[in-house]
């Protein structure tokens, strides 16, 4: 532990519960928005099945994992059934089809790391990115959604953390900070680690769901309705958890040696993953293991400069939560 770590949080921490819950509630997407998403999906489905009768569309990312805010864009995956398709060709054809309907700003970005078609639907006002055959993302979306059903504190904590990260400018992968997906994994891991634990490790339990995607065996316990009340032996409030989350990442996490793994439900060592040195562009300065693509470190985008920015932001948040008279304002102050 770093000398500045706080063993105990301020005595009046629970005074912040109502504030955090208010922020959480205000960010939840309203029902009308979900309806509009369905409407747009139905339109896209019509075009897709018309052109490729065997293809299917799936929602993934924050619009489907329960961690999305209101007014978010939606992420869609076009599953072709055939793994060997030419993605660029499909995306260019898809863009042509969608342009002929009254969708706006339709663009095929075939050279991006994840090639997509982007568009805006003027009827619902929703923007959308469509990728091809990215089924691992669809499956990890289901895993996150299943975790969110076990204890409401996960969704509350992740909303606060994402809101903080967006306000403070540390949710920008192209600038070397972390994706929303990485932050949610950090929250799941953190709640698995509380004593008593608030979340189980679904990948360490009886297998009730199993799919093979791109030669990765994805399996875990998905009958989460049977886990209702799992975390109830732990009575920590959302304010206590937010405080402890930032205190952990500011002062307790061992950045030199540890990898967080929701797959194992524990910390694992960088040494056993061979993530101790820089290989190519992967520096492994903060290590967050993908639950299914286990060779994939979600912290790989973080470089020498941005790790400093991130850690300073964790410390800033921890200090504010410990000492500031009005932490809810200060915590989310635009950078
Ligand atoms: P918002 O910030 O609210 O849009 O959250 P989001 O969950 O949609 O954003 P993000 O772009 O982080 O993730 C989109 C989805 O891509 C995730 O839910 C994962 O299913 C998938 N994904 C898989 N691997 C990665 C990865 O390495 N980086 C990112 N960013 N996403 C990944
Ligand atoms: Mg998204």
């Amino acid at each position: 532990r770093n000398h500045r770590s706080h063993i105990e949080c301020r005595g009046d921490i629970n005074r912040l519960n109502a504030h955090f819950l208010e922020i959480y509630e205000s960010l939840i997407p309203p029902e009308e928005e979900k309806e509009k998403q369905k409407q747009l999906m139905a339109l896209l489905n019509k075009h897709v099945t018309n052109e490729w009768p065997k293809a299917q569309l799936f929602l993934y990312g924050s619009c489907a994992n329960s961690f999305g805010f209101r007014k978010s864009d939606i992420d869609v995956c076009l599953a072709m059934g055939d793994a060997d398709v030419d993605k660029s060709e499909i995306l260019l054809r898809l863009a042509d089809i969608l342009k002929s309907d009254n969708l706006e700003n339709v663009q095929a970005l075939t050279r991006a790391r994840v090639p997509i078609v982007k568009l805006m639907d003027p009827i619902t006002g929703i923007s959308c990115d469509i990728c091809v055959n990215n089924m691992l993302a669809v499956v990890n979306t289901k895993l996150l959604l299943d975790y969110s059903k076990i204890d409401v504190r996960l969704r509350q904590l992740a909303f606060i953390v994402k809101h903080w990260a967006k306000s403070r400018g540390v949710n920008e992968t192209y600038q070397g900070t972390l994706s929303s997906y990485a932050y949610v994994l950090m929250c799941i891991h953190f709640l698995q680690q509380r004593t008593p634990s608030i979340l189980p490790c679904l990948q360490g339990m009886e297998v009730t769901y199993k799919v093979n995607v791109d030669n990765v065996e994805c399996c875990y316990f998905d009958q989460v309705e049977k886990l209702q009340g799992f975390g109830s032996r732990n009575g920590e409030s959302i304010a206590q958890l937010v405080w402890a989350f930032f205190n952990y990442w500011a002062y307790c996490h061992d950045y030199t040696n540890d990898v967080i793994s929701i797959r194992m439900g524990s910390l694992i060592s960088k040494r056993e993953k061979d993530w101790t040195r820089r290989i190519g562009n992967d520096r492994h300065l903060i290590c967050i293991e993908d639950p299914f693509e286990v060779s994939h470190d979600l912290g790989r985008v973080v470089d020498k400069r941005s790790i400093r920015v991130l850690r300073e932001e964790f410390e800033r948040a921890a200090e504010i939560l410990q000492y500031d008279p009005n932490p809810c304002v200060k915590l989310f102050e635009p950078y």
Side-chain angles (χ1 to χ4, degrees):
R1 270 186 176 221
N2 179 301
H3 64 282
R4 279 203 285 169
S5 89
H6 308 291
I7 310 294
E8 240 181 88
C9 69
R10 62 204 276 168
D12 64 345
I13 189 80
N14 283 328
R15 188 172 62 80
L16 306 181
N17 275 324
H19 288 271
F20 284 135
L21 291 178
E22 216 172 279
I23 293 168
Y24 162 69
E25 302 283 346
S26 73
L27 293 169
I28 293 176
E31 225 16 77
E32 310 93 83
E33 226 170 277
K34 294 276 150 196
E35 275 311 309
K36 285 181 178 172
Q37 291 179 2
K38 282 188 197 145
Q39 210 181 312
L40 175 55
M41 279 297 275
L43 175 74
L44 296 174
N45 242 317
K46 189 191 73 181
H47 287 296
V48 162
T49 29
N50 204 11
E51 178 74 16
W52 298 286
K54 287 186 192 150
Q56 267 183 291
L57 285 179
F58 295 92
L59 280 172
Y60 74 98
S62 66
C63 57
N65 65 17
S66 89
F67 298 104
F69 294 173
R70 54 173 66 212
K71 302 200 174 82
S72 293
D73 300 349
I74 67 172
D75 297 305
V76 178
C77 168
L78 171 60
M80 295 302 292
D82 180 354
D84 284 331
V85 294
D86 179 339
K87 288 189 184 179
S88 301
E89 199 178 298
I90 304 269
L91 289 169
L92 290 168
R93 177 78 193 117
L94 180 64
D96 277 340
I97 296 166
L98 298 175
K99 271 176 201 164
S100 62
D101 200 333
N102 62 352
L103 293 160
E104 286 175 10
N105 308 335
V106 180
Q107 280 184 73
L109 306 179
T110 56
R111 287 149 173 267
R113 191 181 61 84
V114 179
I116 52 167
V117 168
K118 289 182 91 61
L119 59 88
M120 209 281 282
D121 173 28
I123 298 171
T124 58
I126 297 176
S127 294
C128 145
D129 291 351
I130 307 172
C131 64
V132 178
N133 285 355
N134 189 4
M135 288 307 287
L136 272 169
V138 175
V139 175
N140 68 41
T141 294
K142 173 174 158 60
L143 179 68
L144 267 48
L145 175 67
D146 284 333
Y147 269 113
S148 78
K149 292 174 182 165
I150 300 170
D151 195 296
V152 70
R153 288 172 289 184
L154 170 59
R155 199 170 175 221
Q156 293 168 345
L157 176 65
F159 266 54
I160 298 300
V161 170
K162 272 181 66 173
H163 180 50
W164 162 82
K166 288 176 192 290
S167 310
R168 300 299 302 167
V170 288
N171 179 212
E172 311 282 356
T173 46
Y174 65 93
Q175 286 179 8
T177 55
L178 298 169
S179 66
S180 296
Y181 178 57
Y183 283 112
V184 176
L185 296 178
M186 289 159 80
C187 291
I188 293 172
H189 179 262
F190 173 77
L191 296 180
Q192 286 176 329
Q193 294 293 93
R194 302 308 288 164
T195 23
S197 49
I198 295 179
L199 291 178
C201 171
L202 294 176
Q203 288 169 279
M205 297 168 65
E206 180 200 346
V207 174
T208 57
Y209 171 82
K210 187 170 173 180
V211 280
N212 187 294
V213 183
D214 307 338
N215 292 318
V216 180
E217 198 64 71
C218 304
C219 44
Y220 67 95
F221 182 77
D222 76 336
Q223 297 174 3
V224 286
E225 58 294 341
K226 294 189 180 153
L227 297 172
Q228 284 313 306
F230 178 92
S232 60
R233 280 187 313 130
N234 181 315
E236 286 177 295
S237 68
I238 185 61
Q240 285 169 320
L241 292 168
V242 170
W243 174 87
F245 178 88
F246 286 111
N247 195 59
Y248 174 78
W249 284 101
Y251 306 123
C252 306
H253 182 70
D254 183 346
Y255 288 81
T256 315
N257 297 304
D258 288 346
V259 176
I260 65 159
S261 167
I262 73 160
R263 171 180 66 100
M264 300 300 286
S266 64
L267 293 166
I268 57 182
S269 76
K270 282 199 198 180
R271 197 144 29 88
E272 78 190 64
K273 299 205 60 104
D274 204 18
W275 282 358
T276 47
R277 61 218 143 76
R278 174 172 175 175
I279 298 178
N281 261 337
D282 288 13
R283 295 175 182 82
H284 305 300
L285 300 174
I286 174 171
C287 296
I288 303 160
E289 182 194 61
D290 187 89
F292 299 123
E293 289 176 280
V294 299
S295 63
H296 193 144
D297 177 5
L298 276 311
R300 73 191 180 293
V301 290
V302 178
D303 59 29
K304 243 170 80 185
R305 189 197 62 86
S306 60
I307 189 69
R308 277 194 46 198
V309 173
L310 260 178
R311 293 187 64 171
E312 277 168 22
E313 283 296 331
F314 288 137
E315 287 172 26
R316 175 185 179 275
E319 293 296 301
I320 289 170
L321 288 162
Q322 185 74 1
Y323 299 114
D324 198 274
N326 207 350
C328 281
V329 176
K330 206 61 182 290
L331 190 61
F332 306 107
E333 218 161 63
Y335 61 104

